[in-house]
Amino acid sequence: MDTTIQNDERVIITGLDTGQDDYNYSMTELAELAQANHMEVVQRVDQVIDRPNPATYFGKGKVAEIAELAAANDVATIITNDELSPSQLRNLEDETGKRILDRTALILEIFATRAQTKEAKLQVQIAELQYRLPRLQTSASQRLDQQTGGGSGFTNRGAGETKLEMDRRTIQHQITHLRHELAAIDKSEETKRKQRAKSNIPTAALVGYTNAGKSTIMNGLVRRYGTVEDKTVFEKDMLFATLDTSVRRLTLPGKKDFLLSDTVGFVSKLPTNLVESFKSTLAEAANADLLIQVIDYSDPNYEEMMQTTKETLKQIGIDNIPMVNVFNKADKTEIEFPVLEGDDQVVISAKQEESLDLLVDVIRKHLFKDYVEAKLLLPFSAGQQVSYLNEHTNILDTEYRNDGTLLTVEMSPQDAQRFAQYQV
């Protein structure tokens, strides 16, 4: 069966409504995922049922209906809202004569086309191979061949089973090889993270649902507080526009530096293998001092999206890190903005400078709450120390005295300890 994806391929999306509260929301999201994969959704088919059919996912009559719709609408691919078992996938393809793409495979295809860095590409390749491994199948004649031959042992197995095992070993070897490559990259990235940690620069990570506006916020802050060399990140109004984690160093007024990372977005039913593969990419979030959850406030399902983010963060072991909730895209609603709600919730539009100012104030209060104000009396011979303070701390007042330079300084706890001998 041809598995080549063409731009604007016509597809039918399908799902089972087994009584779950978020069913319509997940089907809407499935349509958006298809569109993100350059597909045109021409029909949506739902079946209300207590549980999936173990053989064909849908009931027999619904399978026939879907096959007829696919033929009538010149559709080559049918997408299901859930991950299918290998037998369900094979049986549905046999019954409909069409390519069946389950939700997991759809997300993997999107990730495969969007990955840019070597790390992301390796992660996606591993997840794809892990998905394929239990779904390897032989031709009909080879499946019959598996039943031939007696006795036990590899040499007595049918030709189909022999080929199947060879294919499995090939994929397992590929996965092992790719994991070794990824481990080498992870080691290099971990070294970079440790070097950043030694610098005592606080870190914040943008997390949240895909297409909530994380990259727009990142770019807005980079343009205002980044260095000349800093590049903005790719942003577009689509699911999974960016997959690669980007880290930028930002300098706020008062010489307060921090690192901001833009991480891969989440989506409901994110494939387990993919989450596992992207743990290293999300290490920036796991090591952050502050998480900034960006939420699309204009989406009626934003509460479900927040729950998905919470569950995904827990799944990858990110817990007990302070979090700020940023309700973005308020310009698409009737809600007033920018507004600060308590210490850890802000309503903004990432495209508005006033909103970004408010967000920066919130970030500053969290990341630099331990900064202290101190008076330092440095002798005239301590010119090197004065230069460091001028470059790295916020000098509030300078007074030249007979016995040296008296500075009123706002600085990090680490710098306060470093210059403790000069405090008065």
Side-chain angles (χ1 to χ4, degrees), residues 194-312:
K194 287 181 179 178
Q195 290 173 343
R196 290 197 290 264
K198 286 181 181 178
S199 68
N200 293 318
I201 298 176
T203 60
L206 295 162
V207 298
Y209 224 72
T210 180
N211 205 30
K214 298 186 297 299
S215 297
T216 304
I217 289 175
M218 167 73 99
N219 287 339
L221 296 180
V222 166
R223 291 187 187 103
R224 301 184 69 182
Y225 303 108
T227 64
V228 176
E229 296 82 13
D230 274 335
K231 295 180 180 179
T232 56
V233 298
F234 179 73
E235 61 177 274
K236 191 173 181 179
D237 186 16
M238 65 163 59
L239 303 189
F240 299 120
T242 54
L243 299 182
D244 304 301
T245 296
S246 303
V247 182
R248 301 289 186 267
R249 180 168 179 159
L250 305 181
T251 303
L252 302 182
K255 297 177 182 176
K256 293 182 172 66
D257 288 0
F258 74 100
L259 298 175
L260 181 65
S261 61
D262 177 23
T263 62
V264 62
F266 304 141
V267 70
S268 65
K269 302 180 183 179
L270 194 62
T272 303
N273 289 339
L274 203 53
V275 172
E276 189 66 28
S277 296
F278 270 78
K279 274 187 177 179
S280 57
T281 299
L282 290 164
E284 296 294 346
N287 293 299
D289 299 299
L290 177 68
L291 298 180
I292 304 169
Q293 180 181 187
V294 183
I295 302 134
D296 181 353
Y297 211 10
S298 68
D299 193 302
N301 301 298
Y302 74 88
E303 291 181 344
E304 287 88 345
M305 294 176 174
M306 293 177 70
Q307 184 61 30
T308 295
T309 298
K310 179 180 178 181
E311 292 171 356
T312 306

Side-chain angles (χ1 to χ4, degrees), residues 104-132 174-175 178-179 182 185 240 242-244 264 270-271 273-281:
T104 297
L106 174 61
I107 292 173
L108 287 172
E109 282 196 356
I110 295 170
F111 272 57
T113 58
R114 303 283 166 78
Q116 297 295 319
T117 64
K118 184 176 181 181
E119 181 182 22
K121 290 177 180 178
L122 288 172
Q123 289 164 333
V124 174
Q125 286 175 40
I126 292 170
E128 285 181 323
L129 290 171
Q130 288 175 324
Y131 173 82
R132 281 178 52 198
Q174 286 179 306
I175 291 173
L178 291 171
R179 279 178 171 163
L182 186 58
I185 296 176
F240 299 120
T242 54
L243 299 182
D244 304 301
V264 62
L270 194 62
N273 289 339
L274 203 53
V275 172
E276 189 66 28
S277 296
F278 270 78
K279 274 187 177 179
S280 57
T281 299

Side-chain angles (χ1 to χ4, degrees), residues 41 44 86 113 137-138 140 144 155 218 221 237 260 271 277 281 299 315 318 340 357 378 397:
V41 178
R44 166 178 163 174
T113 58
Q137 57 178 295
T138 55
L144 287 173
T155 56
M218 167 73 99
L221 296 180
D237 186 16
L260 181 65
S277 296
T281 299
D299 193 302
Q315 187 178 354
I318 298 178
L340 176 63
D357 288 340
L378 292 99
D397 186 60

Side-chain angles (χ1 to χ4, degrees), residues 5-280:
I5 293 295
Q6 303 295 329
N7 281 354
D8 301 318
E9 178 185 359
R10 294 162 61 82
V11 298
I12 292 174
I13 61 170
T14 62
L16 295 184
D17 182 355
T18 58
Q20 61 269 45
D21 292 335
D22 63 348
Y23 174 70
N24 280 323
Y25 155 61
S26 68
M27 286 297 290
T28 299
E29 184 177 84
L30 185 65
E32 292 175 351
L33 286 168
Q35 290 162 8
N37 202 36
H38 306 294
M39 293 170 162
E40 178 190 356
V41 178
V42 296
Q43 288 280 348
R44 166 178 163 174
V45 179
D46 309 275
Q47 182 174 27
V48 178
I49 195 170
D50 290 336
R51 63 184 64 87
N53 184 311
T56 54
Y57 183 64
F58 299 103
K60 185 176 181 180
K62 187 61 68 171
V63 172
E65 177 189 332
I66 292 169
E68 291 176 5
L69 278 173
N73 287 277
D74 191 26
V75 164
T77 300
I78 298 163
I79 303 174
T80 65
N81 193 34
D82 296 301
E83 183 173 319
L84 302 180
S85 69
S87 61
Q88 287 173 331
L89 187 65
R90 183 174 62 249
N91 291 337
L92 271 178
E93 288 191 337
D94 289 344
E95 292 284 337
T96 63
K98 304 296 181 181
R99 175 186 184 227
I100 304 298
L101 195 68
D102 65 20
R103 187 187 186 98
T104 297
L106 174 61
I107 292 173
L108 287 172
E109 282 196 356
I110 295 170
F111 272 57
T113 58
R114 303 283 166 78
Q116 297 295 319
T117 64
K118 184 176 181 181
E119 181 182 22
K121 290 177 180 178
L122 288 172
Q123 289 164 333
V124 174
Q125 286 175 40
I126 292 170
E128 285 181 323
L129 290 171
Q130 288 175 324
Y131 173 82
R132 281 178 52 198
L133 191 57
R135 291 168 176 79
L136 288 175
Q137 57 178 295
T138 55
S139 67
S141 60
Q142 287 175 326
R143 289 203 292 272
L144 287 173
D145 224 0
Q146 291 177 19
Q147 309 303 319
T148 66
S152 61
F154 185 76
T155 56
N156 289 327
R157 295 176 186 175
E161 188 169 351
T162 302
K163 182 180 184 305
L164 197 59
E165 296 220 351
M166 289 176 63
D167 289 343
R168 284 175 180 156
R169 282 200 302 273
T170 299
I171 288 182
Q172 286 167 343
H173 285 317
Q174 286 179 306
I175 291 173
T176 300
H177 175 71
L178 291 171
R179 279 178 171 163
H180 283 312
E181 283 193 68
L182 186 58
I185 296 176
D186 289 346
K187 187 175 181 180
S188 174
E189 291 300 319
E190 180 61 23
T191 300
K192 292 178 183 178
R193 282 190 286 269
K194 287 181 179 178
Q195 290 173 343
R196 290 197 290 264
K198 286 181 181 178
S199 68
N200 293 318
I201 298 176
T203 60
L206 295 162
V207 298
Y209 224 72
T210 180
N211 205 30
K214 298 186 297 299
S215 297
T216 304
I217 289 175
M218 167 73 99
N219 287 339
L221 296 180
V222 166
R223 291 187 187 103
R224 301 184 69 182
Y225 303 108
T227 64
V228 176
E229 296 82 13
D230 274 335
K231 295 180 180 179
T232 56
V233 298
F234 179 73
E235 61 177 274
K236 191 173 181 179
D237 186 16
M238 65 163 59
L239 303 189
F240 299 120
T242 54
L243 299 182
D244 304 301
T245 296
S246 303
V247 182
R248 301 289 186 267
R249 180 168 179 159
L250 305 181
T251 303
L252 302 182
K255 297 177 182 176
K256 293 182 172 66
D257 288 0
F258 74 100
L259 298 175
L260 181 65
S261 61
D262 177 23
T263 62
V264 62
F266 304 141
V267 70
S268 65
K269 302 180 183 179
L270 194 62
T272 303
N273 289 339
L274 203 53
V275 172
E276 189 66 28
S277 296
F278 270 78
K279 274 187 177 179
S280 57

